[in-house]
Amino acid sequence: MVSAPSVSSLTLLFIPISSLRAPSEGDSTNLDAAIESLLNVEKQMRLAGDVAGTRKAAIDIVELCYKAGAWKTLNDQIVLLSKRRGQLKQAITAMVQKAMEYIDLTPDMDTRIELIKTLSSVSAGKIYVEIERARLIKRLAKIKEEQGQIDEAADLMQEVAVETFGSMAKTEKIAFILEQVRLCLDRQDYVRAQILSRKISTRVFDADPSKEKKKPKEGDNMVQDAPADIPSLLELKRIYYELMIQYYTHNNDYMEICRCYKAIYDIPAIKEDPTKWIPILRKICWYLVLAPHDPMQSSILNATLEDRNLSEIPNFRITLKRLADLLCLSLQEAEKHLSDMVNSKSLIAKINRPMGVVSFLTAQDTNATLNSWATNLEKLLDLVEKSCHQIHKETMIHKAVLKA
């Protein structure tokens, strides 16, 4: 039989922690005594199966150590509470979540790293705090990256497989995997970056965010809301394709680079801003020209030619030296590759060697020139007619107002 908690213990349990005198950093005697009293209460509540009481006692111990500035004691108590016999998972979850609030309040970087490592070790292997552990690992990897330890940061992130987390929000999962991909690209581990990128299905970016979330069925895991710093789904789409552009650039896969830019170009926020879509549409055209001719290239080419925004982009004339710089080739190699593509009819180009200029304009016959002039004149006359109509309309409105 488990004995009931004593009156003094229950009284201590339900006294607000703010009413207790927080011991100073050097006042270790009072701090130890206060912690010992709360540990006794926690033990009685835990053995009695009181979830709320056990959780509150654990949180009070964490808060007491923080207010006293005893960071080493805080780490020790977190480990001690997590290892107590028959510890309730609700208490561990509450304790970890409360201690995570103090990470940004640590006095120095060493203390911050030690607290993150303590919480990470306590959360390891526990499904009910797997999301908290993933967030802790992400923060620790960020610190390692800021210290210039890219390899250590990448190794830390690869320990966590968030795609198996049923209660993590979809956007937070994608953001975590994208961080794994980015760190692998930063340390030039292209094979692992490709493997990690395949965990994200591109169809997830086409989901309609306006649709209401389905109500979880009884017994299903509740999905937690993503933190405020997690980007939106469309922003994650842009980040994903920008990372894939880095990967395909390493492999010189111009067709895939073009497809990535095309996916970014189709994002509504990009298409609505000319300052954003104009440089992207230019790059689509560049890599479309460099891509080998195949059915996919022809399909994207035809779709691009039908885009009305293409008329907003001026025709380029480019120097041979600049072309060689863009392709990371010497002048002789760039000229040879360009000549080979012209001979294979992959593109139309003319090289002016004395001036060092490459022209990609197609030669037009007299009929085509006359047709283009006729089209331009038709557009001009249409604009004049519309302008006259608007002037006449405004004049009539103005006269009507004066008569009134």
Side-chain angles (χ1 to χ4, degrees):
M1 295 291 292
V2 178
S3 59
S6 63
V7 176
S8 60
S9 299
L10 287 173
T11 303
L12 179 61
L13 176 62
F14 292 102
I15 292 177
I17 190 67
S18 57
S19 65
L20 295 177
R21 186 177 65 87
S24 61
E25 189 171 355
D27 193 2
S28 58
T29 304
N30 291 336
L31 176 62
D32 293 340
I35 291 175
E36 188 63 31
S37 298
L38 288 172
L39 285 174
N40 291 331
V41 175
E42 184 275 335
K43 179 181 179 181
Q44 295 181 21
M45 295 295 102
R46 173 167 43 87
L47 294 179
D50 188 338
V51 175
T54 309
R55 183 170 57 235
K56 185 179 186 305
I59 292 176
D60 287 349
I61 292 173
V62 170
E63 190 173 355
L64 194 65
C65 294
Y66 161 70
K67 288 186 175 181
W71 297 100
K72 185 179 183 305
T73 305
L74 173 62
N75 292 329
D76 295 340
Q77 291 301 319
I78 291 172
V79 175
L80 175 65
L81 287 168
S82 66
K83 291 183 177 180
R84 302 197 93 175
R85 182 172 60 87
Q87 185 58 274
L88 303 177
K89 62 181 182 180
Q90 294 90 342
I92 295 178
T93 302
M95 177 181 63
V96 170
Q97 291 175 348
K98 187 65 177 179
M100 288 177 66
E101 298 176 5
Y102 303 140
I103 292 177
D104 292 330
L105 304 176
T106 49
D108 51 63
M109 186 57 68
D110 291 338
T111 306
R112 180 173 302 178
I113 293 175
E114 191 62 31
L115 179 58
I116 293 175
K117 287 183 177 180
T118 299
L119 293 173
S120 177
S121 63
V122 166
S123 305
K126 299 180 177 64
I127 297 177
Y128 48 89
V129 284
E130 60 184 3
I131 294 180
E132 285 76 11
R133 184 171 185 271
R135 293 170 181 171
L136 289 165
I137 292 294
K138 187 177 179 181
R139 298 192 67 169
L140 184 58
K142 188 66 176 178
I143 294 174
K144 294 292 184 181
E145 183 184 8
E146 292 172 352
Q147 295 175 346
Q149 303 175 13
I150 303 296
D151 293 340
E152 290 81 354
D155 291 337
L156 280 171
M157 291 291 286
Q158 289 168 20
E159 294 178 0
V160 186
V162 294
E163 64 274 10
T164 63
F165 294 179
S167 56
M168 179 179 278
K170 177 173 61 176
T171 52
E172 188 174 3
K173 283 184 187 179
I174 297 173
F176 195 95
I177 296 174
L178 290 179
E179 278 294 297
Q180 293 175 322
V181 174
R182 183 184 64 82
L183 288 170
C184 287
L185 290 174
D186 287 347
R187 70 170 181 177
Q188 300 181 351
D189 188 354
Y190 296 100
V191 175
R192 195 175 296 276
Q194 183 190 29
I195 294 172
L196 291 169
S197 67
R198 289 179 176 175
K199 294 181 178 180
I200 300 176
S201 173
T202 55
R203 289 179 297 179
V204 75
F205 298 122
D206 299 327
D208 188 1
S210 62
K211 291 184 178 179
E212 296 182 359
K213 296 181 180 178
K214 294 182 179 179
K215 294 182 179 180
K217 297 179 182 178
E218 188 176 354
D220 290 350
N221 292 329
M222 294 293 293
V223 178
Q224 295 187 15
D225 293 332
D229 59 340
I230 298 297
S232 64
L233 191 61
L234 290 177
E235 181 65 16
L236 291 172
K237 177 180 180 179
R238 182 189 62 80
I239 297 172
Y240 169 80
Y241 282 108
E242 286 180 352
L243 291 174
M244 297 313 298
I245 287 170
Q246 294 183 36
Y247 170 75
Y248 290 122
T249 301
H250 170 72
N251 296 332
N252 294 327
D253 193 338
Y254 301 124
M255 187 68 257
E256 291 298 329
I257 295 174
C258 178
R259 291 180 63 190
C260 290
Y261 277 118
K262 188 73 170 62
I264 297 175
Y265 177 72
D266 291 334
I267 297 175
I270 300 294
K271 266 196 169 179
E272 293 171 359
D273 190 351
T275 60
K276 295 179 180 179
W277 65 255
I278 287 178
I280 294 176
L281 186 56
R282 285 176 178 172
K283 293 175 182 177
I284 292 174
C285 297
W286 295 346
Y287 288 104
L288 195 56
V289 170
L290 293 173
H293 279 243
D294 55 21
M296 183 179 293
Q297 193 264 1
S298 300
S299 176
I300 298 179
L301 176 61
N302 293 329
T304 305
L305 290 174
E306 294 175 359
D307 193 339
R308 295 182 179 180
N309 291 335
L310 197 61
S311 60
E312 302 293 330
I313 299 179
N315 295 327
F316 290 95
R317 294 183 172 278
I318 185 170
T319 62
L320 188 61
K321 183 179 183 303
R322 178 58 177 161
L323 182 64
D325 292 340
L326 290 173
L327 299 176
C328 299
L329 300 173
S330 64
L331 287 174
Q332 293 77 13
E333 291 174 335
E335 184 176 348
K336 179 182 180 301
H337 282 286
L338 188 61
S339 302
D340 292 340
M341 295 181 74
V342 172
N343 290 332
S344 63
K345 298 183 180 180
S346 297
L347 55 83
I348 298 174
K350 291 183 179 179
I351 301 176
N352 188 335
R353 277 188 171 180
M355 296 182 63
V357 175
V358 182
S359 175
F360 294 96
L361 294 177
T362 57
Q364 292 184 341
D365 55 10
T366 54
N367 292 330
T369 304
L370 289 173
N371 289 334
S372 65
W373 287 355
T375 303
N376 292 335
L377 285 174
E378 185 180 353
K379 290 181 179 178
L380 176 61
L381 293 174
D382 186 48
L383 288 173
V384 171
E385 183 181 356
K386 287 182 178 179
S387 300
C388 292
H389 175 72
Q390 291 294 333
I391 293 171
H392 181 67
K393 180 180 177 181
E394 291 293 328
T395 303
M396 295 298 292
I397 294 174
H398 184 65
K399 288 182 179 180
V401 171
L402 292 177
K403 288 181 181 180

